[in-house]
Amino acid sequence: MLVLAVFITLGKCRLLPYLTRLYHIFFSSSTTKTNDFYLKRVLSFLCVWLKSCYHKIMQQTISQKGLTIKTNDRLKNIIVEVLSDLESIGIVCPDKVLFKPSTAYSRYGWCKSNRFKDGRAVNPKLPYDFVIGISVHIVNDSDVKDVVAHEILHAVAMSAGQWERPHQLLWKNMAKQVNASLGYNVQTTGKNIRVDGAPKRRKRRKVLYFFR
């Protein structure tokens, strides 16, 4: 019964004919271009399938922790990747966090807390403790990852009691750990981040007032 279920699953995802061909490749002495084609096709299908399984597991973990991601698919995939990377080095995002897109150009990301220092809710109707906004105009995915990690570290630092200033010792130590372990470039300010279609700033007009 288990073998039948496996065959049905493989047939639905169109892997069965390629796996059959792969079996003949490994158990036959001749190697041709056709065999190489089928081998690459099977590996590509396996990569896509494993990636989809990984995202499903991460989505279940995110829903269990009370995290909500209301962004486009590009930002959503990057946020999921950053969350898993941070958890791999022991930095866990707080529960009840809302990730949302931002249309700002110069402000690449922001993190707002829905709690006062004494634990009271700023807005009791909002079912989240933190709200994180990420600009949708950032061009490079690596810059988006840095901004997402930057804002998640703010949420972690505030949940640990760092409220006075945003970039104090706790935040800086976590940023150094992320940069050293994961190869990120988390900085206090993003100076060299490219955005698409930034509007030109209008020149301020000088107005002269004459009084009698």
Side-chain angles (χ1 to χ4, degrees):
M1 198 68 183
L2 180 61
V3 176
L4 180 61
V6 171
F7 270 90
I8 292 175
T9 306
L10 292 176
K12 285 184 178 179
C13 62
R14 300 178 183 178
L15 272 177
L16 188 58
Y18 297 104
L19 289 177
T20 306
R21 187 65 184 176
L22 188 63
Y23 172 82
H24 291 295
I25 291 172
F26 282 112
F27 287 94
S28 63
S29 58
S30 62
T31 57
T32 60
K33 292 183 178 180
T34 307
N35 293 346
D36 294 338
F37 168 76
Y38 278 101
L39 181 60
K40 292 179 181 179
R41 199 67 183 270
V42 170
L43 292 177
S44 64
F45 269 114
L46 287 175
C47 290
V48 172
W49 179 70
L50 289 174
K51 190 174 182 180
S52 63
C53 292
Y54 164 77
H55 283 297
K56 287 181 181 179
I57 294 172
M58 285 302 301
Q59 287 298 329
Q60 292 176 358
T61 306
I62 288 171
S63 60
Q64 289 174 0
K65 295 182 66 174
L67 304 178
T68 305
I69 304 176
K70 294 183 178 180
T71 61
N72 53 27
D73 292 336
R74 174 183 174 242
L75 287 180
K76 190 173 184 179
N77 294 333
I78 294 175
I79 291 171
V80 170
E81 183 180 354
V82 173
L83 287 171
S84 63
D85 288 345
L86 294 179
E87 288 186 358
S88 66
I89 60 174
I91 299 177
V92 181
C93 182
D95 298 340
K96 297 181 180 180
V97 178
L98 170 64
F99 293 89
K100 59 184 296 185
S102 172
T103 57
Y105 287 94
S106 58
R107 194 180 186 186
Y108 309 118
W110 47 265
C111 177
K112 295 182 180 179
S113 175
N114 193 34
R115 297 285 177 183
F116 291 107
K117 293 182 182 180
D118 55 2
R120 294 180 295 110
V122 178
N123 183 6
K125 296 182 179 180
L126 189 67
Y128 304 103
D129 292 339
F130 297 95
V131 180
I132 294 176
I134 306 297
S135 175
V136 297
H137 300 292
I138 302 176
V139 176
N140 298 326
D141 291 348
S142 59
D143 292 337
V144 178
K145 291 174 66 176
D146 295 336
V147 173
V148 172
H150 180 115
E151 304 307 333
I152 292 176
L153 293 184
H154 277 311
V156 175
M158 283 190 284
S159 63
Q162 179 178 299
W163 292 87
E164 286 77 11
R165 294 180 181 178
H167 303 114
Q168 283 187 332
L169 184 60
L170 177 60
W171 186 93
K172 289 182 178 179
N173 290 337
M174 289 190 296
K176 290 179 181 178
Q177 181 184 358
V178 171
N179 294 339
S181 302
L182 303 175
Y184 283 30
N185 188 24
V186 179
Q187 304 293 334
T188 54
T189 57
K191 296 181 179 179
N192 298 321
I193 295 179
R194 285 180 54 207
V195 294
D196 58 345
K200 294 182 179 179
R201 294 184 178 181
R202 296 181 178 178
K203 294 183 180 180
R204 294 183 178 180
R205 296 180 179 178
K206 295 182 180 180
V207 181
L208 299 177
Y209 296 93
F210 297 93
F211 298 95
R212 291 182 181 179

